[in-house]
Amino acid sequence: MKPISLADLCQYKKEKHKFATITAYDASFAQLFAEQGIQVILVGDSLGMTIQGESSTLPVTVEQIAYHTRCVRKGAPNTFIIADMPFMSYATPEQACTNAAILMQAGANMVKIEGGSWLCDTVKMLCERSVPVCGHLGLTPQAVNVLGGYKVQGRDEVTANQLIKDAIALENAGIQLLVLECVPTSLANQVTEELLLPVIGIGAGKGTDGQILVMHDALGITAKPPKFAKNFLAEAGNISDAIRLYIQEVEQEIYPSDAHSFS
Ligand code: KIV
């Protein structure tokens, strides 16, 4: 497989070619996902829940993300890997640089940070130092204690407008991808149209440029899956076919359906 670049993802957006991405935390799954055609893998701090059995992403450390990034890179040498920067690892721009370096040296192509306009200086500093940055808006799980739970965000006009402003500010600061989690489809569509960069949705409807799923949700492992999750393994029968079905349904805009989205 030819290594995928950010320019390719921008081209997908221009051509309205929807793309599927997924989380992975180890070499075996990363290899299998890459073999089925997944071009972008997120080493998410969701590993706090999926791998470590924690009740949130907050206990995850930079060293743990670096370890899993190294594993994923071994399994998927040509895949574009985004590594999550854990809670409090980017509290200041300087801290962000130090910790992003660890993740890039572990094999990431890009780091992801959660939050709005307050991160603009951090984004600029990382970009100037050759670290590509992915933003994350909407439901930002590291802020669960402020948000009061894992709830849909941007349902009213004020919070929706704020999210749009944050997305534009982050794009102007230099982010090159944006993950939009658990927002109404209409808001996700507006953000996707407004921004030049590719927007990857999770619980954000089918209008975003790409989709991402936590692998445990896509394979029916999660005990209480979120509304937007779909168990592709149940339909496909084996893991390889499940991942191919996921990619196909995203490309053909079958998944996510209205039943997997918020209005
Ligand atoms: O950590 C993660 O897996 C994520 C996805 C839910 C986008 O951030």
Side-chain angles (χ1 to χ4, degrees):
M1 188 181 77
K2 171 183 160 284
I4 187 99
S5 69
L6 285 167
D8 294 320
L9 297 180
C10 288
Q11 191 60 30
Y12 287 167
K13 179 176 180 116
K14 276 195 199 127
E15 291 167 359
K16 297 194 184 309
H17 168 84
K18 306 281 179 184
F19 58 93
T21 73
I22 196 162
T23 67
Y25 318 99
D26 69 30
S28 306
F29 277 110
Q31 183 179 347
L32 185 147
F33 295 164
E35 282 168 0
Q36 304 319 311
I38 290 284
Q39 295 176 307
V40 179
I41 286 178
L42 169 70
V43 182
D45 59 359
S46 50
L47 68 85
M49 281 123 131
T50 58
I51 304 289
Q52 300 173 342
E54 301 283 359
S55 60
S56 79
T57 59
L58 272 61
V60 176
T61 66
V62 173
E63 287 66 33
Q64 289 164 352
I65 296 280
Y67 168 80
H68 289 280
T69 299
R70 222 170 257 120
C71 296
V72 167
R73 175 53 78 205
K74 291 247 174 72
N78 291 327
T79 303
F80 191 88
I81 297 178
I82 307 171
D84 245 341
M85 298 206 57
F87 178 64
M88 278 296 156
S89 67
Y90 51 99
T92 66
E94 290 74 18
Q95 246 186 328
C97 284
T98 306
N99 291 320
I102 297 170
L103 301 184
M104 298 298 284
Q105 287 173 339
N109 299 106
M110 176 178 238
V111 298
K112 177 164 81 60
I113 53 182
E114 297 182 7
S117 314
W118 70 272
L119 284 170
C120 284
D121 287 344
T122 301
V123 171
K124 278 185 203 143
M125 198 157 174
L126 288 169
C127 293
E128 281 163 5
R129 284 152 186 79
S130 308
V131 178
V133 183
C134 175
H136 185 154
L137 290 172
L139 171 54
T140 46
Q142 291 172 17
V144 63
N145 293 302
V146 176
L147 300 176
Y150 299 100
K151 299 173 187 168
V152 181
Q153 302 296 309
R155 277 209 193 266
D156 60 78
E157 206 179 320
V158 174
T159 53
N161 286 340
Q162 185 57 51
L163 191 148
I164 294 168
K165 275 190 201 151
D166 283 338
I168 294 170
L170 288 168
E171 179 167 64
N172 290 337
I175 63 164
Q176 288 176 280
L177 275 182
L178 177 67
V179 168
L180 211 45
E181 180 166 354
C182 284
V183 297
T185 301
S186 55
L187 175 56
N189 292 350
Q190 219 179 321
V191 174
T192 305
E193 278 164 29
E194 197 84 40
L195 301 187
L196 291 173
L197 58 76
V199 176
I200 302 177
I202 173 163
K206 65 171 65 151
T208 54
D209 304 301
Q211 298 290 331
I212 185 155
L213 274 179
V214 169
M215 59 165 278
H216 292 63
D217 290 346
L219 299 177
I221 300 166
T222 310
K224 282 188 196 156
K227 172 186 158 94
F228 56 77
K230 178 167 173 179
N231 179 353
F232 289 92
L233 183 60
E235 214 169 300
N238 67 67
I239 298 175
S240 301
D241 287 349
I243 297 306
R244 275 208 302 277
L245 181 63
Y246 167 49
I247 295 171
Q248 195 183 321
E249 289 203 359
V250 169
E251 286 178 353
Q252 296 175 359
E253 297 183 45
I254 297 167
Y255 175 81
S257 69
D258 288 346
H260 300 114
S261 310
F262 302 102
S263 56

